[in-house]
Amino acid sequence: MRIIKGTTYEDMSRKAADVLAAQVLLKPNSVLGLATGSTPIGLYKSLIERYNNGELDFSAVRTVNLDEYRGLPADNDQSYNYFMHHNLFDHINIKPENTHLPNGLETDAEKECARYDAVIAAQGGVDVQLLGIGHNGHIGFNEPADHFPTGTHLVDLQQSTIEANKRFFASIDDVPRQAYTMGIRTIMSAKCILLVASGKDKAEIVKKSFFGPVTPQVPASILQLHPNVILAGDADALSLI
Ligand code: F6R
């Protein structure tokens, strides 16, 4: 594992964006695995700045997102599809047809999971998978469990995740209870994994995930077994390691 330390959130975001920028420069048709949540927003801003400065070209880049709430249409401002457009896709020259997310409106879970796994496979594998980390160690929406889930699947969100996400909704009752997510096998199949973490509240789980036992009770701990992981954190998130 390599650790990139930023002094602040902005510094960490810039340094983490360097990794994705280098990937796109070296391989213009890279497949980027993307994440939502608050942590990657600074990284996306930094990529947009570089695009605006003429440093990056996304015209051949393809993306697959980690997850999507079930039940929210793409134009709902809390859907992950909307988030990606608002925070990245609408500000760079990526082709809409090259961006992929699970379809939150598909009610047939088996069908949607098989479709999304096929979409990921058709890209030929993810070059760099960006991840955030939940307070319980979730990556994507792979919540603590008795086993590591494999491919794309439908999950019931844990109460702690619903609580953490309620800040984005009018009330806790509006937070969706289920989501489609890439599984651990899919995440671990990426050639490189870049996990971004920010804030004191993430320090404990960062330590547990990267220096504690590998267990499905802490899903991110599986990353210890990946040969090419980069942990990018600000000083607060890395304060216990
Ligand atoms: C988002 C995702 C989640 C978040 C995690 C951390 O696509 O898959 O696992 O990365 O919940 O979220 P933030 O960054 O908001 O703390």
Side-chain angles (χ1 to χ4, degrees):
M1 175 180 56
R2 281 171 287 176
I3 299 178
I4 296 177
K5 187 171 178 177
T7 46
T8 59
Y9 171 72
E10 289 71 25
D11 188 38
M12 176 280 285
S13 298
R14 243 187 335 267
K15 288 173 173 162
D18 286 344
V19 175
L20 291 187
Q23 176 65 39
V24 172
L25 281 173
L26 291 170
K27 186 180 171 194
N29 64 344
S30 287
V31 179
L32 304 180
L34 299 179
T36 62
S38 39
T39 317
I41 290 177
L43 180 160
Y44 292 148
K45 274 201 182 118
S46 181
L47 290 180
I48 293 166
E49 267 169 37
R50 292 163 209 229
Y51 167 71
N52 287 333
N53 293 340
E55 293 166 39
L56 283 181
D57 174 14
F58 291 89
S59 59
V61 168
R62 292 159 293 151
T63 65
V64 287
N65 258 79
L66 276 173
D67 43 18
E68 177 60 286
Y69 285 122
R70 189 190 203 195
L72 294 188
D75 62 354
N76 182 300
D77 65 3
Q78 292 310 325
S79 76
Y80 286 173
N81 199 313
Y82 185 97
F83 175 102
M84 288 311 303
H85 279 272
H86 184 71
N87 288 294
L88 183 65
F89 298 156
D90 290 353
H91 309 287
I92 58 175
N93 66 333
I94 196 159
K95 297 193 174 104
E97 65 270 28
N98 285 349
T99 66
H100 306 279
L101 287 101
N103 175 8
L105 283 190
E106 177 56 69
T107 50
D108 182 338
E110 209 173 311
K111 182 173 154 204
E112 178 54 16
C113 295
R115 183 197 71 83
Y116 200 59
D117 277 340
V119 165
I120 297 167
Q123 309 309 314
V126 174
D127 290 299
V128 182
Q129 177 65 55
L130 176 64
L131 299 175
I133 185 168
H135 293 110
N136 59 5
H138 73 225
I139 47 177
F141 272 125
N142 294 281
E143 302 278 18
D146 293 335
H147 65 284
F148 289 110
T150 56
T152 300
H153 57 286
L154 181 68
V155 285
D156 294 324
L157 303 190
Q158 288 204 342
Q159 196 53 35
S160 61
T161 303
I162 294 168
E163 288 284 341
N165 289 354
K166 75 173 183 217
R167 65 193 194 274
F168 301 116
F169 292 83
S171 88
I172 192 159
D173 294 335
D174 294 331
V175 185
R177 275 14 189 198
Q178 290 184 312
Y180 289 114
T181 182
M182 271 187 202
I184 295 289
R185 184 189 59 219
T186 322
I187 293 171
M188 289 293 280
S189 302
K191 295 186 188 99
C192 174
I193 292 177
L194 170 64
L195 186 143
V196 288
S198 168
K200 269 236 166 337
D201 57 315
K202 293 287 172 72
E204 193 66 48
I205 194 64
V206 164
K207 180 180 171 200
K208 234 172 147 179
S209 300
F210 290 96
F211 297 94
V214 176
T215 162
Q217 292 301 333
V218 182
S221 65
I222 191 90
L223 300 176
Q224 292 179 41
L225 306 181
H226 193 284
N228 192 8
V229 171
I230 303 168
L231 163 63
D234 58 15
D236 283 343
L238 302 184
S239 58
L240 296 181
I241 61 171

